[in-house]
Amino acid sequence: MKVFTKRTLTSIVYVLVMLALCLLKWVVPGVMINGNNQFLGSLGFDALFCAIAVIASMEFVDAVNYSSDKNGDKMRVSPVQKVFTVAFCALIVPLYVAIEVFMPSEGFLACACAFAVYAAFIAGTSVFDHGNSTVKGAICCIFIMLYCGVLTALFSAINHLPRNSMLAIISLIFCTMFTDAGAYLVGKSLKRFVPLKLAPKLSPNKTVIGAVGGLIGGVLGGLLAYVLIMCFGGMEGGEAWLVSFNSGVFFTFTSTAIHPIVSIILVSLVTAVMVQIGDLFESAIKRECGIKDMGKLLPGHGGVLDRFDGMLCCGIIILFCFGTIII
C-alpha cells in the first residue's frame, strides 16, 4: 500500500504539471517570426521534454556503467563520453525548436547533423581514451543519444505541428497513461483467470490479459483527448468555449473517407501497442544491466525512463499520424 500511495501521489503531480502546460500552450499568444506565428505557450512542453532527455540520458549512462556483459567485463563509459552524451540530449530539443522557429521544416536536418558530429566525438573518445571506456560503452552512448535525445525531439515536433498539435500532445499523454493504467488494473484483476504470461523472461508480472487491458485503456485515452478538444475548442474556425490564439489547439480534419472518431481509435490502438513494446524494451534493458529501476527520482515509479519509456516509443506514431494522416 505504501508503494501504491507513492505511485498515486507522483501520478497526481504528473497530471497537474501536464494540465498546467496544456493551459499554457492554449492561452499564451505567440509572436510573428518570418511571417509565421510562433506560439510561446508551447515552450513549456519543450522545457519538459528537454528535462526528460537530460535526466533519462544520465540514468541510462549510469545503468550502462553498472552493467557487465556475459563474460563479466564492464561496458565502461568514460566521464568524457558521459558529458558528450548528456550534452547532446540537453541540446537536441532546443536546437530543433530554434531551427524550426527561424527555418521551418529544417529542424530534423539540424538534429541529424548534430547527431553525426556527436557520434564522431563519441567514437573518437573510445579510441583516444580507451583506458577509461570500451567500444561497447561507446556504442551504448550512441544508442542513448538516439533513444533519449532524438526520440525526445520528436515530442517537440509534435508540440509544434501546425495543425492538431494540442490533440496530438494530449493523445500522446493520455494514451500512455491509460495504457499503463489499463494494463495494470486489468492484469491485476484478471490474471488469476487468464494467467498466460506476455513476456515471462523479461517481465514475469505482465500478462496477456493485462496487455489487452492496456489496448482498451489506450483507446479510451485517445477518445478522452478527442472529447476534451471538441468540448473546449471544437473544430478550427468554429466557436470555441475556451479562447486561444493558437490555431493548432483546435481540431482540423479534412478527410471524407473516414470519421474522425474512427481515426482516433485506430491511432490510439497502434499507440497503445507501441507503449507496451516500449515498456517491455526497457525491461529488457534493465535485465541486461542487472538493475530493477533506472533511477529513484519519481517515488513509486523509479526513474524518468521508468515513467516515459512507453512514450518514447510511441512518439513516432503520434507524429506520423497527426502530421500526415489527420489533417
Side-chain angles (χ1 to χ4, degrees), residues 24-53:
L24 184 69
K25 179 179 173 68
W26 197 297
V27 301
V28 175
V31 294
M32 295 299 295
I33 300 178
N34 294 335
N36 297 312
N37 197 352
Q38 303 296 336
F39 301 101
L40 300 180
S42 299
L43 298 180
F45 272 114
D46 291 327
L48 173 66
F49 299 150
C50 184
I52 291 173

Side-chain angles (χ1 to χ4, degrees), residues 27-232:
V27 301
V28 175
V31 294
M32 295 299 295
I33 300 178
N34 294 335
N36 297 312
N37 197 352
Q38 303 296 336
F39 301 101
L40 300 180
S42 299
L43 298 180
F45 272 114
D46 291 327
L48 173 66
F49 299 150
C50 184
I52 291 173
V54 172
I55 299 172
S57 64
M58 295 174 67
E59 292 176 348
F60 209 150
V61 170
D62 289 340
V64 171
N65 271 331
Y66 181 82
S67 67
S68 301
D69 63 16
K70 293 181 180 179
N71 298 322
D73 297 328
K74 291 287 186 180
M75 293 188 289
R76 296 190 304 275
V77 175
S78 71
V80 174
Q81 288 176 331
K82 181 175 181 178
V83 170
F84 276 128
T85 303
V86 175
F88 172 83
C89 293
L91 294 174
I92 190 70
V93 170
L95 175 64
Y96 174 84
V97 174
I99 296 299
E100 281 294 308
V101 167
F102 294 100
M103 292 184 291
S105 302
E106 300 294 333
F108 282 124
L109 177 60
C111 292
C113 293
F115 175 79
V117 172
Y118 271 85
F121 274 113
I122 294 295
T125 57
S126 69
V127 174
F128 297 105
D129 193 23
H130 193 66
N132 295 319
S133 64
T134 62
V135 174
K136 291 180 181 179
I139 294 173
C140 286
C141 284
I142 294 173
F143 175 75
I144 292 169
M145 289 158 59
L146 282 170
Y147 187 63
C148 301
V150 175
L151 290 185
T152 307
L154 296 181
F155 297 161
S156 283
I158 295 170
N159 188 34
H160 291 273
L161 284 172
R163 295 288 183 271
N164 296 320
S165 63
M166 179 63 82
L167 177 57
I169 283 288
I170 297 178
S171 296
L172 178 70
I173 297 169
F174 279 16
C175 284
T176 304
M177 290 177 54
F178 279 67
T179 298
D180 290 340
Y184 177 80
L185 294 175
V186 174
K188 199 78 171 177
S189 303
L190 301 180
K191 68 178 180 180
R192 71 181 71 177
F193 304 108
V194 188
L196 184 63
K197 301 294 184 180
L198 182 63
K201 292 185 178 180
L202 294 180
S203 185
N205 293 326
K206 287 183 171 57
T207 59
V208 172
I209 192 65
V212 173
L215 296 179
I216 296 172
V219 171
L220 292 176
L223 290 174
L224 178 59
Y226 172 78
V227 170
L228 289 175
I229 288 295
M230 293 303 293
C231 288
F232 289 97

Side-chain angles (χ1 to χ4, degrees), residues 272-285:
V273 172
M274 293 303 296
V275 169
Q276 298 188 70
I277 290 175
D279 190 30
L280 288 172
F281 179 65
E282 201 211 339
S283 295
I285 293 173

